Amino acid sequence: MVSRKTARIIQLADALSGRRVLHLRDAAALLGVSEMTVRRDVADNPGQFAFLGGHIVPAGEIESDAPYELAREADSHAAAKREACIHAARHIRPDETIFIDCGTTLEYLVDLIPENYSITAVCYSLNVAEKLTHKPNVRIVMLGGVYHPSSASFSGNSGLETLDSLGINVAFLSAAGVDPGRGATCVHFHEVSVKQKVISLARESHLVIDLSKIGKLKPAFFAPLHVFRSVITEEGETLVPAQ
């Protein structure tokens, strides 16, 4: 008979084979044990699992030359990201369609969707989609295409075509860098077409970032600041003057 610990290891390995990254608290909920038990299981199996911040990833991701970027960034400025999303959440309204960008900042926004709100949420990253599945009244539209492990997101014509058939009330965008002159930038070029398409279609778009992103310029430009209705940080919301 398989021991309970062995059963947990098998279940955890199976979960990671599909998601590639799993938050500690989500792993504990999945396995029905405490976070401390999960930590011990991971520590006892270094050949299979590793920690990056508060996330569990396959050990091979740590050993490779290019570690899993989403997990690496997940706990960076976590409190500030959460606070920014608290300010952004006031733009979530019942019976509307929202877009939630990829990355780690807007994961916290999903947690703030009221349980009694019936909304449609559009996304293109696995970490956001997985969190949305725990919201009973949310209808999820997942944009497909080619999968990019570095950001757990998808890109391609199929996703862009899906966007054409949607009416998006509010879009929440993230950025890895925000330069006052150049605008909003990100690390991954494959995200640009999705972000730009959403901005062009949404009734209103908000840029949600923590203050550490201000003044940084990343390689992939996707929008000048004036296209957003507001820029939202942990310090609150700043309306962007229309041009």
Side-chain angles (χ1 to χ4, degrees):
M1 180 178 293
V2 176
S3 69
R4 283 182 292 180
K5 181 173 182 177
T6 299
R8 291 197 303 269
I9 298 304
I10 294 172
Q11 190 175 1
L12 184 58
D14 183 62
L16 284 175
S17 69
R19 304 181 197 180
R20 310 305 298 168
V21 60
L22 190 64
H23 196 283
L24 176 61
R25 64 171 175 268
D26 295 330
L30 174 69
L31 300 174
V33 295
S34 68
E35 292 185 11
M36 184 60 69
T37 297
V38 177
R39 285 187 181 276
R40 284 197 296 265
D41 287 347
V42 171
D44 290 343
N45 293 270
Q48 286 185 269
F49 313 118
F51 275 117
L52 278 177
H55 290 69
I56 304 167
V57 298
E61 299 285 1
I62 298 294
E63 295 164 359
S64 68
D65 292 333
Y68 194 77
E69 294 178 23
L70 184 71
R72 186 179 63 202
E73 295 295 327
D75 282 355
S76 176
H77 305 283
K81 293 174 182 179
R82 187 181 298 109
E83 193 66 27
C85 285
I86 290 173
H87 295 297
R90 74 181 187 86
H91 293 289
I92 300 175
R93 298 177 285 266
D95 304 314
E96 290 195 346
T97 297
I98 65 174
F99 171 83
I100 303 177
D101 206 354
C102 65
T104 58
T105 297
L106 291 170
E107 285 186 11
Y108 298 105
L109 185 67
V110 178
D111 295 332
L112 297 166
I113 298 174
E115 297 294 326
N116 63 333
Y117 275 21
S118 177
I119 66 171
T120 298
V122 184
C123 65
Y124 66 116
S125 64
L126 290 182
N127 58 311
V128 171
E130 194 278 331
K131 277 185 167 290
L132 285 168
T133 62
H134 300 292
K135 294 291 179 176
N137 293 311
V138 172
R139 178 171 55 184
I140 305 168
V141 178
M142 182 72 175
L143 306 181
V146 177
Y147 179 65
H148 301 270
S150 58
S151 59
S153 61
F154 295 84
S155 71
N157 289 335
S158 60
L160 298 177
E161 290 169 1
T162 299
L163 285 171
D164 282 325
S165 66
L166 301 173
I168 300 174
N169 299 93
V170 186
F172 299 97
L173 282 297
S174 61
V178 178
D179 181 81
R182 189 70 178 102
T185 56
C186 59
V187 175
H188 304 293
F189 287 92
H190 72 266
E191 298 173 13
V192 171
S193 58
V194 178
K195 293 174 186 282
Q196 290 180 338
K197 184 81 169 183
V198 167
I199 292 169
S200 72
L201 295 173
R203 179 175 290 173
E204 61 184 79
S205 297
H206 301 274
L207 184 62
V208 186
I209 57 170
D210 66 87
L211 288 173
S212 72
K213 307 300 191 300
I214 301 293
K216 292 183 178 179
L217 186 65
K218 298 300 181 179
F221 167 79
F222 66 90
L225 292 182
H226 69 79
V227 305
F228 300 103
R229 180 167 293 188
S230 72
V231 176
I232 303 173
T233 72
E234 63 266 37
E235 293 187 350
E237 180 173 1
T238 301
L239 296 179
V240 179
Q243 284 196 349

